[in-house]
Every structure is written in C-alpha cells, then in structure tokens.
Amino acid sequence: FKRIQLESRSRDELYEMGETFNHMMDLLEANFEKQDQFVANASHELRTPLTVIESYASLMKRRGLQEPDIFHESIEAIHSEAVRMKDMVEQLLLLAKHNEEWTIQFERIDLGEHVRQTTKAFESAYRREIQFHQQQDGINAFSDQQKLKQLIYIILDNAKKYSEDVITVEVGQKEGVPFIQIADKGVGIPKEDLNKVFDRFYRVDKARSRKMGGTGLGLSLAKEIADAMNVRLTIDSVEGIGTTVKIVLPVGKEK
Ligand code: ADP
C-alpha cells in the first residue's frame, strides 16, 4: 500500500484522482446495491415454496387423517415444493461459488460424441424423445466436459419444461467454429422478454415456471458457465412456435 504524496501533485492530477475515486465509489455502491437486491430476491423466492409447504402441512394436520384426497394432494404439493427449493438452493450455491472456485478443465473433445452421450443420458433419465443430428464426424471443440454437460442439461431441461413435442439437438460447424443447437416447439418466449431471461430469478410466466419446477436461475447459471468457458450463448424464440438455443464453442484457448 503506497501513500499518495498529495502536496507534490498538480491541480489537474488531483482533480483526475478525485474523479477516479468518485467513479470507483459509484461502482462499489452499484455492486453493493446489486448484492442487496440479490439477497432480497433470493429470500423472497425461497419464502414462496416455504409458504406453500407450511400451508399444506397445516391443512394435512387439520383434515389429512380423515380425508385421503386432501392427504394425497398435500403430500404431492409438499414434495414438489421441497424439490424445487432444493434445486434453488443448489443453484444459488453454484452461483455464489462461481467467482472463487470454478476451475475450468479445458481439453480437446470430440463434440459430436460428447453431445450424443449427454443427450442419451438426459433422454433416458427424463423419458423425453430427443432427435440427435450431427452434421459430420470429427467436430472438435476446446471445452470442459463436465461443465458443458451441465450447460446442455440446463437448456434441455428448459426445452422439456416448456414444450411437449420432440426436442432436436444438432451439432455442427460453421467456418471451422463448432456449435450445438437445441430446439423445441414449445410455448416460446415473447420478444420483449428475450433479453431478460438470463437475469437471476426472471421468469416470463411465474406460475407456469413454478408448476414445472422452475427456479428462474437456470439460464443465469447457464450464462455464467458459458462465460467461464468462452462459449457464446444465444436464444432465438417465437411465442407459440418454439425456442432455439445456440451454443458456440471456442476452437482453441483464446476467446
Ligand atoms: P426457470 O427455472 O423458470 O425455467 P430459467 O432461468 O431457466 O428459469 O429460464 C427463465 C425463463 O425463460 C423461464 O421461466 C421461461 O419463462 C423462459 N424460458 C427458458 N427456456 C425456455 C424455453 N425453451 N421455452 C420457453 N420459455 C423458456
């Protein structure tokens, strides 16, 4: 830490230092505000499932023993809200860990093979039909297998939640740059919401997302993973027609 010799500075220099200091304070303040907002949002979002759990538990306590329908409805609701809450806490922990602990293990991978396996695993875990297509053999990319799988899972999970038809996954290469494209024919995203879906907790339709077990954190986590891996993530969507997510990967270490 170096002490600044104020007396030996010119007026202009002092003015410039003052400006820099003010700018840094503004940035710090904005950062604190963002963090406060995040904590407030997280508490609010965690409170919702807890309130549902609490009210169903008390309903079950009052009438569950006499009325089997109430018992089953309550236990279903409590279970699904508990699962959603667990997902939310896991995603929050991943987001919180992001800055300090994420290490990316870059390696050259056979992208087609990697995505095929990931798609297969997802398909059998969730029993959803996925059509896989690979433009050609031997498409290589420079990526982290585990993190890429995580990213693909988030996108597939959304396709599964917000569509009922077949999901298609394509691996290709354009001008030597490898990409993955995941498309669904679901509800789509309204144009005015497209640039907000990467924000933490943002959901186009809160009720629908909640019903599908959504947390509003998936895409913001996907964006953080993508940034850490030098991956470009873009979404094209038309309401009522479907959504296509494109993942463009780096060929080498550089961005
Ligand atoms: P959630 O857990 O609610 O799915 P995400 O962060 O993954 O949260 O996505 C944010 C919102 O973007 C979702 O609530 C949904 O409204 C919209 N969305 C994301 N993917 C799709 C998709 N494939 N089709 C339609 N809407 C989508």
Side-chain angles (χ1 to χ4, degrees), residues 46-65:
L46 285 169
R47 227 168 141 172
T48 317
L50 268 181
T51 310
V52 178
I53 290 173
E54 189 186 23
S55 43
Y56 270 106
S58 69
L59 177 69
M60 201 159 77
K61 219 166 123 187
R62 275 186 287 116
R63 295 167 48 192
L65 278 180

Side-chain angles (χ1 to χ4, degrees), residues 111-170:
L111 191 64
E113 204 34 51
H114 183 271
V115 179
R116 185 198 302 279
Q117 279 174 17
T118 305
T119 306
K120 273 238 150 346
F122 188 92
E123 204 173 20
S124 53
Y126 297 101
R127 302 214 174 96
R128 260 307 276 275
E129 193 196 343
I130 301 178
Q131 258 170 25
F132 178 81
H133 175 69
Q134 186 180 344
Q135 278 181 0
Q136 68 202 71
D137 276 342
I139 300 178
N140 289 321
F142 197 65
S143 199
D144 178 313
Q145 303 221 30
Q146 211 42 43
K147 292 271 177 308
L148 183 60
K149 187 172 172 185
Q150 212 175 355
L151 175 62
I152 297 171
Y153 256 64
I154 295 174
I155 311 297
L156 281 178
D157 189 53
N158 279 345
K160 166 179 87 64
K161 282 190 300 201
Y162 304 110
S163 78
E164 275 158 20
D165 221 330
V166 62
I167 301 166
T168 56
V169 175
E170 189 185 352

Side-chain angles (χ1 to χ4, degrees), residues 19 24 31 50 54 58 75 87 94 96 110 122 129 136 195 210 216 220 249:
E19 286 287 282
M24 277 167 66
N31 226 340
L50 268 181
E54 189 186 23
S58 69
I75 213 82
D87 288 349
L94 276 174
D110 179 337
F122 188 92
E129 193 196 343
Q136 68 202 71
N195 61 346
R210 210 165 72 84
S220 59
L249 294 106

Side-chain angles (χ1 to χ4, degrees), residues 84 91 154-163 182 184 186-190 193 196-206 208-210 212-222 235 237 242-245:
R84 205 164 72 82
Q91 288 172 327
I154 295 174
I155 311 297
L156 281 178
D157 189 53
N158 279 345
K160 166 179 87 64
K161 282 190 300 201
Y162 304 110
S163 78
I182 300 173
D184 67 64
V187 295
I189 302 168
D193 294 292
K196 293 181 245 161
V197 292
F198 291 112
D199 293 352
R200 290 177 186 180
F201 299 113
Y202 190 82
R203 283 161 287 180
V204 176
D205 180 340
K206 277 206 172 209
R208 178 189 275 141
S209 158
R210 210 165 72 84
M212 305 317 288
T215 59
L217 289 172
L219 283 181
S220 59
L221 188 56
I235 301 192
S237 189
T243 302
T244 301
V245 179

